[in-house]
Amino acid sequence: MLFHVYGDMAAYQWIAMLGVLVGLILLNEFARKTKFGGAVMFFAVPAILTVYFVAIQIGAATGAEWALNNQTYIYMNGWFHYAKLYAALAGCIGFMMIKYGWGIGKQHWFKPFPFVIVAINILIAVASDFETAIKGWNSWFLSPEQVWLYGGWHNVMNGIAGILNIFCMTAWWSVYSSKDKTDMLWPDMTWVYILVYDVWNFAYTYNCLPTHSWFCGIALLLAPTVAAICWNKGAWIQNRANTLAIWCMFAQVYPLFQCTALDGSSSKWATLPTLYADGTLNGIVEGGSANADPTAMTVVSALALLVNIIALGYIIYESKRRHINPYKEDVFVNQKYYKDAAARI
């Protein structure tokens, strides 16, 4: 099993994960359906939170107890979480510009923006994977977010998988607004890419955000995928950016919803992966290897590398067979998913 989801707290853990999944789906629908919903979620709320984050940093720098003891400052103050939040928000705003035709959003040269911002988000995670490998090769180390991480070959494999995943994005200029202006569509980003991205990203969260991965590795990945497969064809990347930004904002303010506090206490929702062999954070020592079981991390990282190699291999094969440039032309034109998405343009 990938997670310690059994025993007295199992019901709470499953309820919390499913609750996050449903909440993200509903908030994504609110954000994508109208300009008002998008403005609330990706302009108003982030503006308020930015003031809050700046206040925390100023307070901590001046030694204010309220800031030094703040959940955000203690558990979410590393570079990765802020980079991920604001990169995701940049994606959300850029996608709104394309679907509503705002400013440069209606220009042809701006169409590769979704590729660029997704690639940046992936590279942020790749950098984090390699950083974990370097800092904790086959040993524990304490991250700036006060989480015990365990590095190794799994991080290297998944970092390479992330780089390959960037080149699995095809038809960079083939992004459009839907007929009803509710979605930005990328028809050639079919279930093939969705699958290999989800496997890679789950492995990343499992490797580098282990105490968060029950939520951001399962619920957060399922939310945009369920929407894109079931009723919102072609808009997976918009769904992904929306739900990622929403989750990052919540997690940045309430990190103890999903992880264990420094004193060893945890919420009833917190869930640990099998990396923590006995299901607790007790007995971990900097540089030590006791109480670590990286087997599952190695398996999911190897799977992520394998599926991305297969997907990229297929893209190369299909491109050569049809004599096309896969980054300028659509590759998956014969798939039903592609046809359904294209019909919405």
Side-chain angles (χ1 to χ4, degrees):
M1 187 175 288
L2 295 173
F3 295 93
H4 294 284
V5 282
Y6 43 79
D8 295 341
M9 293 294 104
Y12 294 106
Q13 293 166 329
W14 282 98
I15 289 170
M17 190 272 286
L18 293 173
V20 169
L21 172 61
V22 172
L24 288 173
I25 289 174
L26 294 176
L27 286 172
N28 177 53
E29 291 300 301
F30 170 70
R32 63 174 275 265
K33 286 288 188 180
T34 65
K35 292 178 183 179
F36 173 78
V40 169
M41 298 307 303
F42 308 126
F43 288 97
V45 174
I48 294 169
L49 289 182
T50 298
V51 173
Y52 174 66
F53 298 149
V54 171
I56 290 172
Q57 296 301 321
I58 294 174
T62 57
E65 286 295 321
W66 71 267
L68 293 172
N69 295 322
N70 184 278
Q71 289 185 35
T72 298
Y73 185 76
I74 296 173
Y75 301 102
M76 302 292 281
N77 203 41
W79 69 269
F80 170 81
H81 292 289
Y82 283 110
K84 199 69 176 177
L85 168 57
Y86 287 101
L89 283 171
C92 296
I93 294 169
F95 298 168
M96 289 176 69
M97 292 172 68
I98 291 173
K99 78 175 182 178
Y100 292 128
W102 291 343
I104 58 175
K106 59 188 173 186
Q107 301 298 320
H108 180 74
W109 63 264
F110 191 70
K111 285 194 169 188
F113 172 80
F115 163 76
V116 172
I117 198 66
V118 175
I120 289 172
N121 271 273
I122 292 172
L123 288 173
I124 290 171
V126 168
S128 181
D129 243 325
F130 287 142
E131 179 185 48
T132 300
I134 293 169
K135 286 186 175 181
W137 192 265
N138 291 334
S139 63
W140 291 108
F141 75 96
L142 193 61
S143 77
E145 293 82 16
Q146 308 302 310
V147 176
W148 286 104
L149 300 179
Y150 194 88
W153 278 112
H154 46 277
N155 299 107
V156 175
M157 287 190 291
N158 203 56
I160 296 171
I163 294 170
L164 296 179
N165 190 257
I166 293 173
F167 294 98
C168 290
M169 287 186 283
T170 56
W172 300 348
W173 276 264
S174 297
V175 294
Y176 312 91
S177 176
S178 62
K179 295 173 186 176
D180 59 6
K181 301 295 184 182
T182 59
D183 296 301
M184 186 202 74
L185 304 176
W186 190 343
D188 211 48
M189 187 169 271
T190 69
W191 63 266
V192 174
Y193 185 77
I194 296 171
L195 172 65
V196 298
Y197 177 95
D198 281 357
V199 175
W200 162 75
N201 195 259
F202 173 78
Y204 167 71
T205 64
Y206 202 68
N207 290 343
C208 299
L209 302 170
T211 57
H212 300 184
S213 57
W214 180 242
F215 298 104
C216 65
I218 297 181
L220 180 55
L221 287 173
L222 281 177
T225 300
V226 168
I229 296 298
C230 295
W231 65 83
N232 196 12
K233 300 283 175 50
W236 174 82
I237 193 58
Q238 174 193 264
N239 299 338
R240 168 60 179 167
N242 289 356
T243 53
L244 177 60
I246 292 166
W247 173 253
C248 286
M249 288 187 284
F250 173 79
Q252 197 76 3
V253 177
Y254 298 107
L256 290 181
F257 171 82
Q258 60 183 337
C259 63
T260 302
L262 286 176
D263 61 7
S265 64
S266 63
S267 75
K268 63 180 67 173
W269 323 115
T271 306
L272 293 177
T274 54
L275 164 64
Y276 306 97
D278 63 1
T280 73
L281 296 175
N282 296 327
I284 297 176
V285 179
E286 187 107 26
S289 60
N291 194 38
D293 182 5
T295 303
M297 292 194 301
T298 303
V299 171
V300 296
S301 297
L303 180 61
L305 181 57
L306 177 62
V307 297
N308 275 278
I309 289 173
I310 292 172
L312 185 57
Y314 175 78
I315 290 167
I316 294 170
Y317 165 78
E318 189 67 10
S319 301
K320 288 184 176 295
R321 187 183 70 82
R322 292 174 49 206
H323 305 289
I324 63 171
N325 182 331
Y327 304 116
K328 291 184 176 180
E329 300 175 66
D330 294 331
V331 174
F332 301 101
V333 292
N334 293 322
Q335 289 187 8
K336 184 179 184 302
Y337 185 92
Y338 174 92
K339 294 175 182 177
D340 290 343
R344 301 183 61 206
I345 297 170

